[in-house]
mmCIF file of all heavy atoms in Angstrom:
data_model
loop_
_atom_site.group_PDB
_atom_site.id
_atom_site.type_symbol
_atom_site.label_atom_id
_atom_site.label_comp_id
_atom_site.label_asym_id
_atom_site.label_seq_id
_atom_site.Cartn_x
_atom_site.Cartn_y
_atom_site.Cartn_z
ATOM 1 N N VAL A 134 -7.929 -21.462 25.513
ATOM 2 C CA VAL A 134 -7.039 -22.223 24.591
ATOM 3 C C VAL A 134 -6.147 -21.215 23.914
ATOM 4 O O VAL A 134 -6.569 -20.295 23.378
ATOM 5 C CB VAL A 134 -7.810 -23.079 23.705
ATOM 6 C CG1 VAL A 134 -6.976 -23.778 22.677
ATOM 7 C CG2 VAL A 134 -8.686 -24.215 24.388
ATOM 8 N N TYR A 135 -4.877 -21.541 23.764
ATOM 9 C CA TYR A 135 -3.929 -20.797 23.107
ATOM 10 C C TYR A 135 -2.983 -21.408 22.043
ATOM 11 O O TYR A 135 -2.812 -22.619 22.055
ATOM 12 C CB TYR A 135 -3.030 -19.939 24.102
ATOM 13 C CG TYR A 135 -2.074 -20.947 25.072
ATOM 14 C CD1 TYR A 135 -0.790 -21.134 24.616
ATOM 15 C CD2 TYR A 135 -2.597 -21.700 26.036
ATOM 16 C CE1 TYR A 135 0.044 -21.892 25.219
ATOM 17 C CE2 TYR A 135 -1.790 -22.562 26.769
ATOM 18 C CZ TYR A 135 -0.341 -22.563 26.418
ATOM 19 O OH TYR A 135 0.453 -23.493 27.063
ATOM 20 N N ASP A 136 -2.498 -20.622 21.256
ATOM 21 C CA ASP A 136 -1.523 -21.063 20.205
ATOM 22 C C ASP A 136 -0.074 -20.936 20.779
ATOM 23 O O ASP A 136 0.409 -19.931 21.096
ATOM 24 C CB ASP A 136 -1.603 -20.166 19.026
ATOM 25 C CG ASP A 136 -0.788 -20.608 17.818
ATOM 26 O OD1 ASP A 136 0.149 -21.513 18.005
ATOM 27 O OD2 ASP A 136 -1.046 -20.171 16.619
ATOM 28 N N VAL A 160 -10.466 -13.970 21.776
ATOM 29 C CA VAL A 160 -11.865 -13.795 21.225
ATOM 30 C C VAL A 160 -12.784 -14.614 22.216
ATOM 31 O O VAL A 160 -12.410 -15.723 22.615
ATOM 32 C CB VAL A 160 -12.053 -14.417 19.842
ATOM 33 C CG1 VAL A 160 -11.522 -15.837 19.675
ATOM 34 C CG2 VAL A 160 -13.449 -14.279 19.293
ATOM 35 N N GLU A 205 -17.936 -19.589 15.683
ATOM 36 C CA GLU A 205 -17.360 -18.465 15.103
ATOM 37 C C GLU A 205 -15.952 -18.166 15.771
ATOM 38 O O GLU A 205 -14.991 -17.720 15.225
ATOM 39 C CB GLU A 205 -18.281 -17.226 15.097
ATOM 40 C CG GLU A 205 -19.582 -17.455 14.440
ATOM 41 C CD GLU A 205 -20.710 -17.859 15.290
ATOM 42 O OE1 GLU A 205 -20.420 -18.605 16.340
ATOM 43 O OE2 GLU A 205 -21.899 -17.561 14.942
ATOM 44 N N ALA A 206 -16.032 -18.194 17.120
ATOM 45 C CA ALA A 206 -14.879 -17.843 17.986
ATOM 46 C C ALA A 206 -13.764 -18.656 17.597
ATOM 47 O O ALA A 206 -12.606 -18.276 17.427
ATOM 48 C CB ALA A 206 -15.297 -17.835 19.349
ATOM 49 N N TYR A 207 -13.971 -20.033 17.614
ATOM 50 C CA TYR A 207 -12.935 -20.969 17.458
ATOM 51 C C TYR A 207 -12.422 -21.029 15.937
ATOM 52 O O TYR A 207 -11.258 -21.252 15.677
ATOM 53 C CB TYR A 207 -13.405 -22.458 17.772
ATOM 54 C CG TYR A 207 -12.307 -23.268 18.337
ATOM 55 C CD1 TYR A 207 -11.781 -23.195 19.560
ATOM 56 C CD2 TYR A 207 -11.663 -24.250 17.400
ATOM 57 C CE1 TYR A 207 -10.707 -23.862 19.995
ATOM 58 C CE2 TYR A 207 -10.645 -24.941 17.939
ATOM 59 C CZ TYR A 207 -10.084 -24.767 19.096
ATOM 60 O OH TYR A 207 -9.048 -25.488 19.618
ATOM 61 N N GLY A 208 -13.278 -20.696 15.053
ATOM 62 C CA GLY A 208 -12.831 -20.435 13.677
ATOM 63 C C GLY A 208 -11.977 -19.282 13.545
ATOM 64 O O GLY A 208 -10.882 -19.490 12.771
ATOM 65 N N LEU A 209 -12.090 -18.225 14.204
ATOM 66 C CA LEU A 209 -11.182 -17.099 14.112
ATOM 67 C C LEU A 209 -9.889 -17.502 14.747
ATOM 68 O O LEU A 209 -8.749 -17.085 14.191
ATOM 69 C CB LEU A 209 -11.654 -15.916 14.841
ATOM 70 C CG LEU A 209 -12.911 -15.236 14.427
ATOM 71 C CD1 LEU A 209 -13.420 -14.144 15.318
ATOM 72 C CD2 LEU A 209 -12.611 -14.481 12.959
ATOM 73 N N PHE A 210 -9.839 -18.241 15.729
ATOM 74 C CA PHE A 210 -8.696 -18.731 16.385
ATOM 75 C C PHE A 210 -7.844 -19.712 15.440
ATOM 76 O O PHE A 210 -6.629 -19.585 15.269
ATOM 77 C CB PHE A 210 -9.004 -19.459 17.738
ATOM 78 C CG PHE A 210 -7.780 -20.255 18.428
ATOM 79 C CD1 PHE A 210 -6.817 -19.534 18.983
ATOM 80 C CD2 PHE A 210 -7.953 -21.642 18.430
ATOM 81 C CE1 PHE A 210 -5.765 -20.170 19.558
ATOM 82 C CE2 PHE A 210 -6.847 -22.233 19.073
ATOM 83 C CZ PHE A 210 -5.757 -21.537 19.631
ATOM 84 N N THR A 211 -8.557 -20.746 14.896
ATOM 85 C CA THR A 211 -7.821 -21.740 14.124
ATOM 86 C C THR A 211 -7.242 -21.128 12.796
ATOM 87 O O THR A 211 -6.398 -21.584 12.097
ATOM 88 C CB THR A 211 -8.749 -22.893 13.777
ATOM 89 O OG1 THR A 211 -9.934 -22.559 13.213
ATOM 90 C CG2 THR A 211 -8.898 -23.655 15.038
ATOM 91 N N LYS A 212 -7.900 -19.930 12.379
ATOM 92 C CA LYS A 212 -7.467 -19.265 11.290
ATOM 93 C C LYS A 212 -6.258 -18.353 11.489
ATOM 94 O O LYS A 212 -5.732 -17.735 10.582
ATOM 95 C CB LYS A 212 -8.667 -18.409 10.595
ATOM 96 C CG LYS A 212 -9.734 -19.223 9.949
ATOM 97 C CD LYS A 212 -10.852 -18.327 9.435
ATOM 98 C CE LYS A 212 -12.021 -19.119 8.818
ATOM 99 N NZ LYS A 212 -13.162 -18.255 8.640
ATOM 100 N N GLY A 213 -5.814 -18.323 12.686
ATOM 101 C CA GLY A 213 -4.708 -17.472 13.058
ATOM 102 C C GLY A 213 -4.995 -16.061 13.252
ATOM 103 O O GLY A 213 -4.154 -15.241 13.334
ATOM 104 N N GLU A 214 -6.277 -15.641 13.311
ATOM 105 C CA GLU A 214 -6.641 -14.268 13.546
ATOM 106 C C GLU A 214 -6.475 -13.728 14.953
ATOM 107 O O GLU A 214 -6.591 -12.594 15.185
ATOM 108 C CB GLU A 214 -8.047 -14.028 12.960
ATOM 109 C CG GLU A 214 -8.101 -14.287 11.429
ATOM 110 C CD GLU A 214 -9.343 -13.888 10.892
ATOM 111 O OE1 GLU A 214 -10.061 -12.925 11.408
ATOM 112 O OE2 GLU A 214 -9.958 -14.525 9.811
ATOM 113 N N VAL A 215 -6.424 -14.660 15.829
ATOM 114 C CA VAL A 215 -6.259 -14.334 17.328
ATOM 115 C C VAL A 215 -5.611 -15.467 17.988
ATOM 116 O O VAL A 215 -5.723 -16.599 17.699
ATOM 117 C CB VAL A 215 -7.683 -14.043 17.892
ATOM 118 C CG1 VAL A 215 -8.555 -15.322 17.883
ATOM 119 C CG2 VAL A 215 -7.611 -13.536 19.284
ATOM 120 N N PRO A 216 -4.640 -15.103 18.953
ATOM 121 C CA PRO A 216 -3.818 -16.182 19.530
ATOM 122 C C PRO A 216 -4.499 -16.997 20.686
ATOM 123 O O PRO A 216 -3.947 -17.982 21.223
ATOM 124 C CB PRO A 216 -2.682 -15.374 20.007
ATOM 125 C CG PRO A 216 -3.206 -14.028 20.433
ATOM 126 C CD PRO A 216 -4.158 -13.803 19.291
ATOM 127 N N MET A 217 -5.697 -16.442 21.246
ATOM 128 C CA MET A 217 -6.337 -17.131 22.164
ATOM 129 C C MET A 217 -7.806 -17.170 22.013
ATOM 130 O O MET A 217 -8.371 -16.166 21.516
ATOM 131 C CB MET A 217 -6.039 -16.458 23.721
ATOM 132 C CG MET A 217 -4.576 -16.531 24.038
ATOM 133 S SD MET A 217 -4.162 -15.922 25.757
ATOM 134 C CE MET A 217 -4.822 -14.231 25.626
ATOM 135 N N VAL A 218 -8.499 -18.073 22.596
ATOM 136 C CA VAL A 218 -9.951 -18.195 22.472
ATOM 137 C C VAL A 218 -10.456 -18.827 23.625
ATOM 138 O O VAL A 218 -9.906 -19.650 24.287
ATOM 139 C CB VAL A 218 -10.214 -19.081 21.122
ATOM 140 C CG1 VAL A 218 -9.792 -20.589 21.382
ATOM 141 C CG2 VAL A 218 -11.808 -19.139 20.930
ATOM 142 N N HIS A 228 -7.115 -31.342 18.125
ATOM 143 C CA HIS A 228 -5.880 -31.141 17.214
ATOM 144 C C HIS A 228 -4.858 -32.355 17.351
ATOM 145 O O HIS A 228 -4.116 -32.657 16.458
ATOM 146 C CB HIS A 228 -5.238 -29.754 17.722
ATOM 147 C CG HIS A 228 -6.163 -28.782 17.646
ATOM 148 N ND1 HIS A 228 -6.500 -28.135 16.426
ATOM 149 C CD2 HIS A 228 -6.915 -28.054 18.527
ATOM 150 C CE1 HIS A 228 -7.377 -27.114 16.539
ATOM 151 N NE2 HIS A 228 -7.629 -27.130 17.889
ATOM 152 N N TYR A 237 -1.908 -26.397 19.899
ATOM 153 C CA TYR A 237 -2.923 -25.710 20.651
ATOM 154 C C TYR A 237 -3.262 -26.362 21.980
ATOM 155 O O TYR A 237 -3.334 -27.576 22.074
ATOM 156 C CB TYR A 237 -4.137 -25.750 19.851
ATOM 157 C CG TYR A 237 -3.978 -25.055 18.475
ATOM 158 C CD1 TYR A 237 -4.049 -26.045 17.339
ATOM 159 C CD2 TYR A 237 -3.820 -23.793 18.228
ATOM 160 C CE1 TYR A 237 -3.889 -25.455 16.044
ATOM 161 C CE2 TYR A 237 -3.592 -23.274 16.916
ATOM 162 C CZ TYR A 237 -3.596 -24.018 15.840
ATOM 163 O OH TYR A 237 -3.320 -23.546 14.661
#
Side-chain angles (χ1 to χ4, degrees):
V134 175
Y135 65 98
D136 183 346
V160 57
E205 301 94 329
Y207 211 78
L209 291 173
F210 172 68
T211 55
K212 290 175 183 175
E214 296 186 29
V215 63
M217 297 189 297
V218 61
H228 303 285
Y237 305 107

